[in-house]
Amino acid sequence: MYESKRFLAVIPARGGSKGIPNKNIIDVNGKPLIQYTIDEAKQSKYIDRVVVSTDSEKIAEVAVTGGADVPFLRPDYLASDEAKTIDALVHVVNTIHSSSDVYDYIVLLQPTQPLRKHWHIDEAIETILEKKSTSLISVSPVKEHPILMRTIDENGGLKSLLNLSSTVRRQDFPTFYKVNGAIYINKIDSNFSVDTSLNDNLTPYIMGVEYDLDIDDFEDLKQAERKLK
């Protein structure tokens, strides 16, 4: 709890994974991948409850052993390749609230972001309340600047992605940020629904590039193993 507001952390972890089989519970330096996120969420000063949303009994067992709550399994229709994360979040909120366990904000923590720390979560929570915002998203400065990115038009010519001159010193490039997927916070009110676009959350929380790692393939996994030693 922070400033009399209750915060529900939800870690979505469906069983299916095409890139890396059993990705959410794959061993990373002696711990299941999801455990890194559970540990940081539980160390947060402000998170009131940590819930894992999964359709997999195996993931549920790992999550409970690791200290998270798995009060129910996610229905199959929310675990397909077509299902969206927001659908699973709304399902969690509606199911938990129906048991009179009510929260003011939901904090989405994806298990594929193992470098995020508990103090990032706390700073993000402090930020959303200080800004009096209804939504927040974590971002990181881009490594590859879009001012140097190009598309190729129908005539085979290069076209700048931005309407800016690239003939400037690199240190004078304007700062751009990318959604890094580590932290999403949304106020639970009448506007929070399956139509909510999480990547369009309003308030930024800036994280350093050294914490920006989204595990999608085995190369990402190797990076995580090196950085989490």
Side-chain angles (χ1 to χ4, degrees):
M1 183 175 290
Y2 180 60
E3 294 191 354
S4 301
K5 304 298 183 183
R6 301 189 74 212
F7 291 84
L8 172 68
V10 177
I11 303 171
R14 72 186 184 94
S17 177
K18 294 181 178 178
I20 303 175
N22 298 312
K23 177 171 64 175
N24 289 311
I25 54 174
I26 196 168
D27 184 275
V28 180
N29 295 349
K31 288 168 57 172
L33 176 60
I34 196 173
Q35 190 66 53
Y36 290 93
T37 295
I38 293 172
D39 288 347
E40 298 303 322
K42 289 183 69 65
Q43 288 184 66
S44 165
K45 296 183 293 186
Y46 307 133
I47 295 295
D48 296 280
R49 187 178 182 185
V50 180
V51 169
V52 169
S53 170
T54 184
D55 61 307
S56 165
E57 291 186 2
K58 187 173 183 180
I59 293 176
E61 181 180 349
V62 170
V64 170
T65 300
D69 291 337
V70 186
F72 44 79
L73 290 180
R74 189 191 303 187
D76 290 342
Y77 74 92
L78 292 177
S80 67
D81 290 339
E82 293 74 30
K84 298 178 181 178
T85 298
I86 185 61
D87 297 330
L89 296 185
V90 170
H91 172 260
V92 170
V93 169
N94 289 342
T95 305
I96 287 179
H97 278 202
S98 67
S99 63
S100 300
D101 191 12
V102 179
Y103 296 85
D104 300 286
Y105 291 85
I106 186 169
V107 183
L108 164 61
L109 303 172
Q110 300 190 107
T112 51
Q113 296 277 347
L115 304 186
R116 168 226 309 107
K117 302 299 182 184
H118 63 275
W119 47 267
H120 287 132
I121 300 170
D122 290 342
E123 288 180 354
I125 288 173
E126 290 168 359
T127 298
I128 194 171
L129 291 191
E130 287 168 4
K131 299 291 185 181
K132 295 181 171 60
S133 179
T134 57
S135 63
L136 175 145
I137 191 168
S138 60
V139 296
S140 299
V142 296
K143 298 175 184 177
E144 298 173 354
H145 203 283
I147 202 169
L148 297 178
M149 294 182 180
R150 305 288 185 266
T151 58
I152 297 178
D153 62 26
E154 62 275 10
N155 298 316
L158 289 173
K159 183 177 180 181
S160 296
L161 192 65
L162 302 176
N163 187 25
L164 295 172
S165 172
S166 59
T167 311
V168 293
R169 300 181 305 164
R170 181 173 289 273
Q171 57 266 42
D172 293 330
F173 284 0
T175 304
F176 280 79
Y177 300 90
K178 56 169 272 192
V179 171
N180 64 21
I183 304 170
Y184 300 78
I185 305 178
N186 289 77
K187 186 175 184 179
I188 300 174
D189 58 16
S190 60
N191 293 317
F192 183 71
S193 70
V194 293
D195 295 321
T196 298
S197 177
L198 298 169
N199 285 328
D200 292 318
N201 280 1
L202 299 172
T203 298
Y205 170 67
I206 301 172
M207 296 172 60
V209 294
E210 65 270 27
Y211 299 103
D212 178 19
L213 177 61
D214 185 12
I215 296 179
D216 186 52
D217 55 33
F218 284 102
E219 183 57 38
D220 298 330
L221 197 61
K222 291 178 182 178
Q223 286 190 52
E225 290 173 340
R226 290 193 297 268
K227 292 185 177 184
L228 289 167
K229 284 184 178 179

